[in-house]
């Protein structure tokens, strides 16, 4: 192997995802707030757009890592519960940073049900993968009915993602699947 050849590991992908997500959130929270205070500042608008574009890298990386992660985890239910717990825990900071107005915050409202964070999307996608994997383990592989059940499960989870207004909606859930 050539000494100049490098291998991108899961740890590298996680680091890239965290950095791009952080840049996206910085743009969505800090730069957007500054834009609202100084309307017409084209440099802030360009920075905002750039950070949000860079941030679009995070979701596909997280979805890929989750899809690959199912093969490496020994306890899928515990993994699913951790994703669900993190979705719930991170919802309040997500809402405070991205969804709630200052008036709502001053009135003691810290939770917004009109839009959920990306971990709800990842939770639904991972749940579908677990269900499909279970079906494959208990049924004859490549059976047309099994494939139809997997597709129906993915469509139901995608509908739930759309219904609860999670980040990336139905498309995001289906992308994880």
């Amino acid at each position: 192997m050539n000494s100049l050849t490098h291998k991108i590991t899961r740890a590298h992908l996680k680091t890239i995802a965290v950095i791009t997500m952080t840049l996206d959130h910085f743009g969505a929270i800090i730069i957007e707030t500054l834009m609202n205070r100084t309307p017409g500042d084209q440099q802030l608008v360009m920075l905002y757009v750039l950070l949000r574009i860079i941030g679009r890298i995070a979701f596909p990386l997280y979805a890929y890592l989750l899809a690959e992660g199912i093969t490496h985890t020994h306890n899928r239910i515990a993994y699913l519960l951790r994703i669900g717990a993190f979705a719930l825990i991170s919802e309040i900071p997500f809402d405070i940073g991205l969804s709630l107005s200052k008036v709502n915050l001053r009135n003691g409202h810290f939770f917004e049900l009109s839009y959920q964070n990306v971990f709800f999307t990842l939770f639904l996608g991972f749940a579908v993968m677990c269900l499909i994997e279970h079906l494959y383990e208990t049924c004859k592989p490549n059976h047309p009915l099994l494939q139809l059940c997997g597709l129906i499960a993915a469509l139901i989870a995608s509908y739930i993602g759309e219904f609860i207004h999670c980040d990336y909606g139905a498309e995001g859930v289906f992308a994880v699947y």
Side-chain angles (χ1 to χ4, degrees):
M1 181 186 282
N2 184 337
S3 64
L4 296 177
T5 304
H6 297 284
K7 187 176 183 179
I8 295 179
T9 65
R10 284 191 306 272
H12 291 120
L13 291 176
K14 286 178 190 176
T15 301
I16 292 168
V18 167
I19 291 169
T20 58
M21 180 185 67
T22 302
L23 290 172
D24 178 72
H25 288 45
F26 181 78
I29 298 168
I30 305 299
I31 302 302
E32 187 172 348
T33 300
L34 292 174
M35 284 172 30
N36 291 335
R37 290 182 182 164
T38 57
D41 187 334
Q42 290 304 310
Q43 290 178 328
L44 283 176
V45 172
M46 288 173 42
L47 180 59
Y48 172 82
V49 170
L50 177 65
L51 292 174
R52 298 304 305 248
I53 289 170
I54 291 169
R56 300 304 101 200
I57 295 169
F59 178 74
L61 289 176
Y62 282 126
Y64 170 78
L65 289 165
L66 192 65
E68 187 184 82
I70 196 168
T71 63
H72 297 289
T73 187
H74 298 292
N75 189 338
R76 286 164 182 81
I77 299 300
Y79 195 80
L80 183 65
L81 291 174
R82 282 193 306 270
I83 296 169
F86 196 73
L88 293 172
I89 291 167
S90 63
E91 186 62 22
I92 291 175
F94 175 82
D95 288 345
I96 290 171
L98 297 173
S99 298
L100 293 172
S101 69
K102 288 182 181 180
V103 172
N104 287 338
L105 291 173
R106 275 189 238 123
N107 291 332
H109 298 113
F110 298 101
F111 205 65
E112 174 64 50
L113 294 176
S114 66
Y115 194 72
Q116 281 30 268
N117 69 61
V118 73
F119 288 98
F120 286 92
T121 310
L122 297 174
F123 175 85
L124 290 168
F126 193 79
V128 170
M129 288 191 298
C130 290
L131 176 63
I132 291 170
E133 184 179 65
H134 177 71
L135 290 172
Y136 270 78
E137 289 172 355
T138 58
C139 301
K140 183 179 176 185
N142 296 325
H143 190 278
L145 187 57
L146 177 67
Q147 294 172 349
L148 179 62
C149 287
L151 181 60
I152 290 170
L155 290 173
I156 290 170
S158 295
Y159 175 77
I160 292 169
E162 197 68 29
F163 180 76
I164 66 170
H165 305 286
C166 63
D167 233 355
Y168 298 101
E171 296 88 355
V173 175
F174 211 81
V176 175
Y177 162 72

